[in-house]
Amino acid sequence: MNKRMQQCARMGGRGGARTGIRAAVATALVLATVATAGGCAFPRPRVKVPVYAPSPTFTSGYDASSPTPSYEPTYSPSPTQETYDPDGRSDARGSNCDFSDSLRQFTYTVSLTNPSSTDSFSYDMAVNWMKAKPADGKAYGLHERSIIVGPGDTETYTAKYTVNQSSIGQFWFTCEITRAHKSRM
C-alpha cells in the first residue's frame, strides 16, 4: 500500500470514509472537467431544420389578399402592318388647271404625298380634262402615269394632254384626278 492508503487504513472507518468521499468527489470533478472540455458533459439540444423554408417576402406594392388586376393589352399595328386604302386619291392634290392655245395643250400640276412612314407606294394615276359646259361627262383628254413615292415623301409632276385639232374655239373645261390606284412596293 502506498503511504496515503496506509494512513487511511490506520485512521479507521471515520477518516477512511471521508477520504473515500473526497476521492469520489475529486474523481467526479475530474470527469466533469474532462467531459466539459471534450464537449460531452451535457448533450446539445437537437434542432429540427424545417424541410420547407418560407420564401422571403418582397414589398412591391402587391397585396396577395386583393385579386389580381386585369390586364388588357392594347393593339396597335406595327409599321409593317400599316393599313392603307388602295384608292389613293386622298393622297393627291391638283393645281394650275390650264390650257395653252399656242401649244394646244392641257396641263395640270399633280402632287402626291405618301402618308406612310415606312412603305413606298406606286400610284397608278389618271387625269382627265372634262367638258364643263355643258357638263355631259365627256372628256377632252386623258393623261395616265405611274409614279412611286417614298415613305413620307411628296412627288409633283405636270400632267399634259395635247389636242389633235388645228383650231379650237372657246370652251369650258375642268381638271379631275379620276384615278390614283395605290399599291405597296
Side-chain angles (χ1 to χ4, degrees), residues 5 7 10 15 34 40 56 65 68 73-74 80 86 92 102 112 116 119 126 146 151 153 185:
M5 288 178 89
Q7 282 178 353
R10 276 185 277 180
V34 169
C40 301
S65 64
T68 306
T74 55
T80 57
S102 61
L112 290 164
S116 174
D119 294 319
S146 289
D153 290 344
M185 296 301 296

Side-chain angles (χ1 to χ4, degrees), residues 51-153:
V51 177
Y52 167 76
S55 61
T57 58
F58 297 99
T59 56
S60 65
Y62 173 74
D63 183 4
S65 64
S66 68
T68 306
S70 61
Y71 173 70
E72 295 180 22
T74 55
Y75 174 77
S76 60
S78 68
T80 57
Q81 297 173 327
E82 184 177 34
T83 58
Y84 72 95
D85 183 358
D87 183 357
R89 286 182 289 181
S90 62
D91 300 349
R93 299 283 179 268
S95 61
N96 303 323
C97 181
D98 197 13
F99 178 77
S100 168
D101 286 324
S102 61
L103 298 173
R104 299 187 325 269
Q105 190 176 64
F106 290 102
T107 57
Y108 192 44
T109 304
V110 178
S111 293
L112 290 164
T113 301
N114 180 352
S116 174
S117 60
T118 57
D119 294 319
S120 292
F121 288 102
S122 174
Y123 293 86
D124 183 24
M125 303 297 297
V127 173
N128 279 94
W129 290 268
M130 306 296 290
K131 190 174 178 184
K133 290 183 182 179
D136 56 7
K138 292 184 180 176
Y140 290 120
L142 169 69
H143 173 89
E144 295 179 300
R145 178 178 178 177
S146 289
I147 187 165
I148 296 172
V149 184
D153 290 344

Side-chain angles (χ1 to χ4, degrees), residues 2-27:
N2 67 23
K3 205 174 195 178
R4 178 79 180 146
M5 288 178 89
Q6 286 174 356
Q7 282 178 353
C8 284
R10 276 185 277 180
M11 293 176 100
R14 246 178 158 180
R18 273 191 226 150
T19 304
I21 292 172
R22 284 187 202 151
V25 171
T27 302

